[in-house]
Amino acid sequence: MCGAPAGPVEREPLLKYAGQLGKAGHRVIIPKGIDRKNGYLAGTDDERADELNRAIRDPNVRAIFPCRGGYGLT
């Protein structure tokens, strides 16, 4: 699963990378609203925390790939 716990991501490069992972045999989940923005962050604190918590709690998710790091991660 891809997530945006810090800064916003650009959708097109993310889709390209997800396609590469898919060709390697991985099923990639891109959360709805992954390209959201709230100032310089990828959504509100609650949106970003909820996205990460859903990924952690989902028994079908075997890996979480943050799309970006940055100041907003903390």
Side-chain angles (χ1 to χ4, degrees):
M1 177 168 188
C2 296
V9 299
E10 295 180 34
R11 190 167 193 72
E12 291 307 314
L14 174 61
L15 294 175
K16 183 178 178 180
Y17 181 59
Q20 292 171 339
L21 288 173
K23 286 179 185 175
H26 304 285
R27 188 175 71 106
V28 180
I29 300 168
I30 299 175
K32 189 175 186 178
I34 191 74
D35 52 356
R36 67 190 175 270
K37 292 182 182 178
N38 183 31
Y40 64 91
L41 297 173
T44 66
D45 292 347
D46 287 340
E47 288 171 326
R48 294 178 294 122
D50 288 344
E51 180 181 83
L52 181 58
N53 282 318
R54 278 194 313 273
I56 290 169
R57 291 185 175 106
D58 186 333
N60 297 311
V61 172
R62 298 186 153 235
I64 301 169
F65 291 86
C67 297
R68 283 193 52 187
Y71 175 77
L73 189 57
T74 56

Coordinates of all heavy atoms in Angstrom, one line a residue:
M1 N 0.8 -1.2 0.0 CA 0.0 0.0 0.0 C 0.9 1.2 0.0 O 1.9 1.3 0.7 CB -0.9 0.0 1.2 CG -1.8 1.2 1.3 SD -3.0 1.0 2.6 CE -3.9 2.4 2.3
C2 N 0.5 2.2 -0.8 CA 1.2 3.5 -0.8 C 0.5 4.4 0.1 O -0.7 4.3 0.2 CB 1.2 4.0 -2.2 SG 2.2 3.0 -3.4
G3 N 1.2 5.3 0.7 CA 0.5 6.3 1.5 C 1.3 7.6 1.5 O 2.4 7.7 1.0
A4 N 0.6 8.7 1.9 CA 1.2 10.0 1.9 C 1.1 10.6 3.4 O 0.3 11.4 3.7 CB 0.5 10.9 0.9
P5 N 2.0 10.1 4.3 CA 2.0 10.6 5.6 C 2.6 12.0 5.9 O 2.5 12.5 7.0 CB 2.7 9.5 6.4 CG 3.7 9.0 5.4 CD 3.0 9.1 4.1
A6 N 3.2 12.6 4.9 CA 3.9 13.9 5.1 C 3.4 14.8 4.0 O 2.3 15.3 4.0 CB 5.4 13.7 5.1
G7 N 4.3 15.1 3.0 CA 4.0 16.1 2.0 C 3.2 15.4 0.9 O 3.1 14.2 0.7
P8 N 2.5 16.3 0.1 CA 1.7 15.8 -1.0 C 2.5 15.1 -2.1 O 3.7 15.4 -2.3 CB 1.0 17.1 -1.6 CG 1.8 18.2 -1.1 CD 2.5 17.8 0.1
V9 N 1.9 14.2 -2.9 CA 2.6 13.5 -3.9 C 2.0 13.9 -5.3 O 0.8 14.4 -5.4 CB 2.4 12.0 -3.7 CG1 3.1 11.6 -2.4 CG2 1.0 11.5 -3.8
E10 N 2.7 13.7 -6.3 CA 2.3 13.9 -7.7 C 1.7 12.5 -8.1 O 2.4 11.5 -8.0 CB 3.4 14.3 -8.6 CG 3.9 15.7 -8.2 CD 5.0 16.2 -9.1 OE1 5.0 15.8 -10.3 OE2 5.9 16.9 -8.6
R11 N 0.5 12.5 -8.7 CA -0.2 11.3 -9.0 C 0.5 10.5 -10.2 O 0.7 9.3 -10.1 CB -1.6 11.6 -9.4 CG -2.5 10.4 -9.6 CD -3.9 10.8 -9.6 NE -4.8 9.7 -9.5 CZ -5.1 9.0 -8.4 NH1 -4.4 9.3 -7.3 NH2 -5.9 8.0 -8.4
E12 N 1.0 11.2 -11.2 CA 1.5 10.5 -12.4 C 2.8 9.7 -12.0 O 2.9 8.5 -12.4 CB 1.8 11.5 -13.5 CG 0.5 12.0 -14.2 CD -0.4 10.9 -14.6 OE1 0.0 9.9 -15.2 OE2 -1.6 11.0 -14.3
P13 N 3.8 10.3 -11.3 CA 5.0 9.4 -10.9 C 4.6 8.3 -10.0 O 5.2 7.2 -10.1 CB 5.9 10.4 -10.2 CG 5.5 11.8 -10.7 CD 4.0 11.7 -11.0
L14 N 3.6 8.5 -9.2 CA 3.1 7.4 -8.3 C 2.5 6.3 -9.1 O 2.8 5.1 -8.8 CB 2.1 8.0 -7.3 CG 1.5 6.9 -6.4 CD1 2.5 6.2 -5.5 CD2 0.4 7.6 -5.5
L15 N 1.7 6.6 -10.0 CA 1.1 5.6 -10.9 C 2.1 4.8 -11.7 O 2.0 3.6 -11.8 CB 0.0 6.2 -11.8 CG -1.2 6.8 -11.1 CD1 -2.1 7.4 -12.1 CD2 -1.9 5.7 -10.3
K16 N 3.2 5.5 -12.1 CA 4.2 4.9 -12.9 C 5.0 3.8 -12.0 O 5.2 2.7 -12.4 CB 5.2 5.9 -13.4 CG 6.3 5.3 -14.3 CD 7.2 6.4 -14.8 CE 8.4 5.8 -15.6 NZ 9.3 6.9 -16.1
Y17 N 5.3 4.3 -10.8 CA 6.0 3.4 -9.8 C 5.1 2.2 -9.4 O 5.6 1.0 -9.4 CB 6.4 4.2 -8.6 CG 7.1 3.3 -7.6 CD1 8.3 2.7 -7.9 CD2 6.7 3.2 -6.3 CE1 9.0 1.9 -7.0 CE2 7.3 2.4 -5.4 CZ 8.5 1.7 -5.7 OH 9.1 1.0 -4.8
A18 N 3.8 2.5 -9.2 CA 2.9 1.4 -8.9 C 2.8 0.4 -10.0 O 2.7 -0.8 -9.8 CB 1.5 2.0 -8.6
G19 N 2.9 0.9 -11.3 CA 2.9 0.0 -12.4 C 4.1 -0.9 -12.5 O 4.0 -2.1 -12.8
Q20 N 5.2 -0.4 -12.1 CA 6.5 -1.1 -12.0 C 6.4 -2.2 -11.0 O 6.8 -3.4 -11.2 CB 7.7 -0.2 -11.8 CG 8.0 0.7 -12.9 CD 9.0 1.7 -12.6 OE1 9.3 2.0 -11.4 NE2 9.6 2.3 -13.6
L21 N 5.8 -1.9 -9.8 CA 5.6 -2.9 -8.8 C 4.6 -4.0 -9.2 O 4.8 -5.1 -8.9 CB 5.2 -2.2 -7.5 CG 6.2 -1.4 -6.7 CD1 5.5 -0.7 -5.6 CD2 7.3 -2.3 -6.2
G22 N 3.6 -3.5 -9.9 CA 2.6 -4.5 -10.4 C 3.2 -5.5 -11.4 O 2.9 -6.7 -11.4
K23 N 4.1 -5.0 -12.3 CA 4.8 -5.8 -13.3 C 5.7 -6.8 -12.6 O 5.9 -7.9 -13.1 CB 5.6 -5.0 -14.3 CG 4.7 -4.3 -15.3 CD 5.6 -3.4 -16.2 CE 4.7 -2.6 -17.2 NZ 5.5 -1.7 -18.0
A24 N 6.2 -6.5 -11.4 CA 7.0 -7.4 -10.6 C 6.2 -8.4 -9.8 O 6.7 -9.2 -9.1 CB 7.9 -6.6 -9.7
G25 N 4.9 -8.3 -10.0 CA 4.0 -9.3 -9.3 C 3.4 -8.9 -8.0 O 2.7 -9.7 -7.3
H26 N 3.5 -7.6 -7.7 CA 2.9 -7.1 -6.4 C 1.6 -6.5 -6.7 O 1.4 -5.8 -7.7 CB 3.8 -6.1 -5.8 CG 5.2 -6.7 -5.5 ND1 5.4 -7.5 -4.5 CD2 6.4 -6.5 -6.1 CE1 6.7 -7.9 -4.5 NE2 7.3 -7.2 -5.5
R27 N 0.6 -6.6 -5.8 CA -0.7 -5.9 -5.9 C -0.5 -4.6 -5.1 O -0.3 -4.6 -3.9 CB -1.8 -6.8 -5.3 CG -3.2 -6.2 -5.6 CD -4.2 -7.1 -5.1 NE -4.3 -7.2 -3.7 CZ -5.2 -6.6 -2.9 NH1 -6.2 -6.0 -3.5 NH2 -5.1 -6.7 -1.6
V28 N -0.7 -3.5 -5.8 CA -0.5 -2.2 -5.2 C -1.9 -1.6 -4.9 O -2.7 -1.5 -5.8 CB 0.3 -1.3 -6.1 CG1 0.5 0.1 -5.5 CG2 1.7 -1.9 -6.4
I29 N -2.0 -1.1 -3.7 CA -3.2 -0.3 -3.3 C -2.8 1.1 -3.2 O -1.9 1.5 -2.4 CB -3.8 -0.9 -2.0 CG1 -4.1 -2.3 -2.0 CG2 -5.0 0.0 -1.5 CD1 -4.4 -3.0 -0.7
I30 N -3.5 2.0 -3.9 CA -3.3 3.4 -3.8 C -4.6 4.0 -3.2 O -5.7 3.9 -3.8 CB -3.1 4.1 -5.1 CG1 -1.8 3.5 -5.8 CG2 -3.0 5.6 -5.0 CD1 -1.5 4.0 -7.2
P31 N -4.5 4.5 -1.9 CA -5.7 5.0 -1.3 C -6.4 6.1 -2.0 O -5.7 6.9 -2.7 CB -5.2 5.5 0.1 CG -3.8 4.9 0.2 CD -3.3 4.7 -1.1
K32 N -7.7 6.2 -1.9 CA -8.5 7.2 -2.5 C -8.0 8.6 -1.8 O -7.8 8.6 -0.6 CB -10.0 7.0 -2.2 CG -10.9 7.9 -2.8 CD -12.3 7.5 -2.5 CE -13.3 8.3 -3.3 NZ -14.7 7.8 -3.1
G33 N -7.8 9.6 -2.7 CA -7.4 10.9 -2.1 C -5.9 11.0 -1.9 O -5.5 11.9 -1.2
I34 N -5.1 10.1 -2.4 CA -3.7 10.1 -2.2 C -3.0 11.4 -2.6 O -2.0 11.8 -2.1 CB -3.0 8.9 -2.9 CG1 -1.5 8.8 -2.4 CG2 -3.0 9.0 -4.4 CD1 -1.4 8.2 -1.1
D35 N -3.7 12.1 -3.6 CA -3.1 13.4 -4.1 C -3.7 14.6 -3.4 O -3.6 15.7 -3.9 CB -3.2 13.4 -5.6 CG -4.7 13.2 -6.1 OD1 -5.5 12.9 -5.3 OD2 -4.9 13.3 -7.3
R36 N -4.3 14.4 -2.3 CA -4.9 15.6 -1.5 C -3.8 16.5 -1.0 O -2.7 16.1 -0.9 CB -5.8 15.1 -0.4 CG -4.9 14.4 0.7 CD -5.8 13.7 1.7 NE -4.9 13.0 2.7 CZ -4.4 11.7 2.5 NH1 -4.9 11.0 1.5 NH2 -3.6 11.2 3.3
K37 N -4.2 17.7 -0.8 CA -3.3 18.7 -0.2 C -4.0 19.6 0.8 O -5.1 19.9 0.7 CB -2.8 19.7 -1.3 CG -1.9 19.0 -2.4 CD -1.5 20.0 -3.4 CE -0.7 19.3 -4.5 NZ -0.2 20.2 -5.5
N38 N -3.2 19.9 1.8 CA -3.6 20.8 2.9 C -2.4 21.7 3.2 O -1.6 21.3 4.0 CB -4.1 20.0 4.1 CG -4.7 21.0 5.2 OD1 -5.2 22.0 4.9 ND2 -4.6 20.6 6.4
G39 N -2.3 22.8 2.6 CA -1.1 23.6 2.7 C 0.1 22.9 2.1 O 0.0 22.4 1.0
Y40 N 1.2 22.7 2.9 CA 2.3 22.0 2.4 C 2.3 20.5 2.8 O 3.2 19.8 2.6 CB 3.6 22.6 3.0 CG 3.8 22.6 4.5 CD1 4.4 21.5 5.0 CD2 3.3 23.5 5.3 CE1 4.6 21.4 6.4 CE2 3.4 23.5 6.7 CZ 4.1 22.4 7.2 OH 4.2 22.3 8.6
L41 N 1.2 20.0 3.4 CA 1.0 18.7 3.8 C 0.1 17.9 2.9 O -0.7 18.5 2.1 CB 0.5 18.6 5.2 CG 1.4 19.2 6.3 CD1 0.8 19.2 7.6 CD2 2.8 18.4 6.3
A42 N 0.1 16.6 3.0 CA -0.8 15.7 2.2 C -2.1 15.4 2.9 O -2.4 14.3 3.1 CB 0.0 14.4 1.8
G43 N -2.8 16.5 3.3 CA -4.0 16.3 4.0 C -3.9 16.8 5.4 O -2.8 17.2 5.9
T44 N -5.0 16.8 6.1 CA -5.0 17.2 7.5 C -4.3 16.1 8.4 O -4.0 15.0 7.9 CB -6.4 17.3 8.1 OG1 -7.1 16.0 8.0 CG2 -7.2 18.3 7.2
D45 N -4.0 16.4 9.6 CA -3.3 15.4 10.5 C -4.2 14.2 10.6 O -3.7 13.1 10.5 CB -3.1 16.0 11.9 CG -2.1 17.1 11.9 OD1 -1.3 17.3 10.9 OD2 -2.0 17.8 12.9
D46 N -5.5 14.4 10.8 CA -6.4 13.3 10.9 C -6.5 12.4 9.6 O -6.5 11.2 9.7 CB -7.9 13.7 11.2 CG -8.0 14.2 12.7 OD1 -7.1 13.9 13.5 OD2 -8.9 15.0 13.0
E47 N -6.5 13.1 8.5 CA -6.6 12.3 7.2 C -5.3 11.4 7.0 O -5.4 10.3 6.7 CB -6.7 13.2 6.0 CG -8.0 13.9 5.9 CD -8.0 15.0 4.8 OE1 -7.0 15.7 4.6 OE2 -9.1 15.1 4.2
R48 N -4.2 12.0 7.3 CA -2.9 11.3 7.2 C -2.8 10.2 8.2 O -2.4 9.1 7.8 CB -1.7 12.2 7.2 CG -1.7 13.2 6.0 CD -0.6 14.2 6.1 NE -0.7 15.2 7.2 CZ 0.2 15.3 8.1 NH1 1.3 14.7 8.1 NH2 0.0 16.2 9.1
A49 N -3.2 10.4 9.4 CA -3.1 9.4 10.5 C -4.1 8.3 10.1 O -3.8 7.1 10.3 CB -3.4 10.0 11.8
D50 N -5.3 8.6 9.7 CA -6.3 7.6 9.4 C -5.8 6.7 8.2 O -6.0 5.5 8.3 CB -7.7 8.2 9.0 CG -8.4 8.8 10.2 OD1 -8.1 8.5 11.3 OD2 -9.3 9.6 9.9
E51 N -5.2 7.3 7.2 CA -4.7 6.5 6.1 C -3.7 5.5 6.6 O -3.7 4.3 6.2 CB -4.1 7.5 5.1 CG -3.6 6.8 3.8 CD -3.0 7.8 2.9 OE1 -1.8 8.2 3.1 OE2 -3.7 8.2 2.0
L52 N -2.7 6.0 7.4 CA -1.7 5.1 7.9 C -2.3 4.0 8.8 O -1.9 2.8 8.7 CB -0.6 5.9 8.6 CG 0.5 5.1 9.2 CD1 1.3 4.3 8.1 CD2 1.5 6.0 9.9
N53 N -3.2 4.4 9.7 CA -3.8 3.4 10.6 C -4.6 2.3 9.8 O -4.6 1.2 10.2 CB -4.6 4.1 11.6 CG -3.8 4.7 12.7 OD1 -2.8 4.0 13.2 ND2 -4.1 5.9 13.2
R54 N -5.3 2.7 8.8 CA -6.1 1.8 8.0 C -5.1 0.8 7.3 O -5.4 -0.5 7.3 CB -6.9 2.5 6.9 CG -8.2 3.0 7.3 CD -9.1 3.4 6.2 NE -8.4 4.2 5.1 CZ -8.3 5.5 5.2 NH1 -8.8 6.2 6.2 NH2 -7.7 6.2 4.2
A55 N -4.0 1.2 6.8 CA -3.0 0.3 6.2 C -2.4 -0.6 7.3 O -2.3 -1.8 7.0 CB -1.9 1.1 5.6
I56 N -2.1 -0.1 8.4 CA -1.5 -1.0 9.5 C -2.5 -2.1 9.9 O -2.1 -3.2 10.1 CB -1.1 -0.1 10.7 CG1 0.1 0.7 10.3 CG2 -0.8 -1.0 11.9 CD1 0.4 1.8 11.3
R57 N -3.8 -1.7 10.0 CA -4.8 -2.7 10.5 C -5.4 -3.6 9.4 O -6.0 -4.6 9.7 CB -6.0 -1.9 11.1 CG -5.6 -1.2 12.4 CD -6.8 -0.5 13.0 NE -6.4 0.0 14.3 CZ -6.2 1.3 14.5 NH1 -6.4 2.2 13.6 NH2 -5.9 1.7 15.7
D58 N -5.1 -3.3 8.2 CA -5.6 -4.2 7.1 C -4.8 -5.5 7.0 O -3.6 -5.4 6.7 CB -5.5 -3.4 5.7 CG -6.2 -4.1 4.6 OD1 -6.3 -5.4 4.6 OD2 -6.6 -3.5 3.7
P59 N -5.4 -6.6 7.2 CA -4.6 -7.9 7.2 C -4.1 -8.2 5.8 O -3.2 -9.1 5.7 CB -5.6 -8.9 7.7 CG -7.0 -8.3 7.5 CD -6.8 -6.8 7.5
N60 N -4.7 -7.6 4.8 CA -4.2 -7.9 3.4 C -3.0 -7.1 3.0 O -2.4 -7.4 2.0 CB -5.3 -7.6 2.4 CG -6.5 -8.6 2.6 OD1 -6.3 -9.8 2.8 ND2 -7.7 -8.0 2.7
V61 N -2.6 -6.1 3.8 CA -1.5 -5.2 3.5 C -0.2 -5.9 4.1 O -0.1 -6.1 5.3 CB -1.7 -3.8 4.0 CG1 -0.4 -3.0 3.9 CG2 -2.8 -3.1 3.3
R62 N 0.7 -6.1 3.2 CA 2.0 -6.8 3.6 C 3.2 -5.8 3.7 O 4.2 -6.1 4.3 CB 2.3 -7.9 2.7 CG 1.2 -9.0 2.8 CD 1.6 -10.2 2.0 NE 0.9 -11.3 2.6 CZ 1.5 -12.4 3.1 NH1 2.8 -12.5 2.9 NH2 0.8 -13.3 3.6
A63 N 3.0 -4.6 3.1 CA 4.1 -3.6 3.1 C 3.4 -2.2 2.9 O 2.4 -2.1 2.2 CB 5.1 -3.9 2.0
I64 N 4.0 -1.2 3.5 CA 3.5 0.1 3.4 C 4.7 1.0 2.8 O 5.7 1.0 3.4 CB 3.0 0.7 4.7 CG1 1.9 -0.2 5.3 CG2 2.6 2.2 4.6 CD1 1.5 0.2 6.7
F65 N 4.4 1.6 1.7 CA 5.4 2.5 1.1 C 5.0 3.9 1.2 O 4.1 4.4 0.5 CB 5.6 2.1 -0.4 CG 6.2 0.8 -0.7 CD1 5.4 -0.4 -0.7 CD2 7.5 0.7 -0.9 CE1 6.0 -1.6 -0.9 CE2 8.1 -0.6 -1.1 CZ 7.3 -1.7 -1.1
P66 N 5.6 4.7 2.2 CA 5.3 6.1 2.2 C 5.8 6.7 0.9 O 7.0 6.5 0.5 CB 6.1 6.6 3.4 CG 6.4 5.4 4.2 CD 6.5 4.3 3.2
C67 N 5.0 7.5 0.3 CA 5.4 8.2 -1.0 C 6.4 9.3 -0.8 O 7.2 9.5 -1.7 CB 4.2 8.7 -1.7 SG 3.0 7.5 -2.1
R68 N 6.4 9.9 0.3 CA 7.3 11.0 0.6 C 7.6 11.0 2.1 O 6.7 10.6 2.9 CB 6.7 12.4 0.2 CG 6.7 12.6 -1.2 CD 6.4 14.1 -1.5 NE 7.3 15.0 -0.7 CZ 7.1 16.3 -0.7 NH1 6.2 16.8 -1.4 NH2 7.9 17.0 0.0
G69 N 8.7 11.6 2.5 CA 9.0 11.9 3.9 C 8.8 13.4 4.0 O 8.2 14.0 3.2
G70 N 9.4 13.9 5.1 CA 9.4 15.3 5.3 C 8.9 15.7 6.6 O 8.6 14.9 7.5
Y71 N 8.9 17.0 6.8 CA 8.6 17.6 8.1 C 7.3 17.2 8.6 O 7.1 17.0 9.8 CB 8.7 19.2 8.0 CG 8.3 19.9 9.2 CD1 9.1 20.0 10.3 CD2 7.0 20.5 9.3 CE1 8.7 20.6 11.5 CE2 6.6 21.1 10.5 CZ 7.5 21.2 11.6 OH 7.1 21.8 12.7
G72 N 6.3 17.1 7.8 CA 4.9 16.7 8.2 C 4.8 15.4 8.8 O 3.7 15.0 9.3
L73 N 5.8 14.5 8.6 CA 5.7 13.1 9.0 C 5.6 13.0 10.6 O 4.9 12.2 11.1 CB 6.8 12.3 8.5 CG 6.8 10.8 8.7 CD1 5.5 10.2 8.1 CD2 8.0 10.1 8.1
T74 N 6.3 13.9 11.2 CA 6.3 13.9 12.7 C 5.0 14.4 13.3 O 4.5 14.1 14.3 CB 7.4 14.7 13.3 OG1 7.3 16.0 12.8 CG2 8.8 14.1 13.0

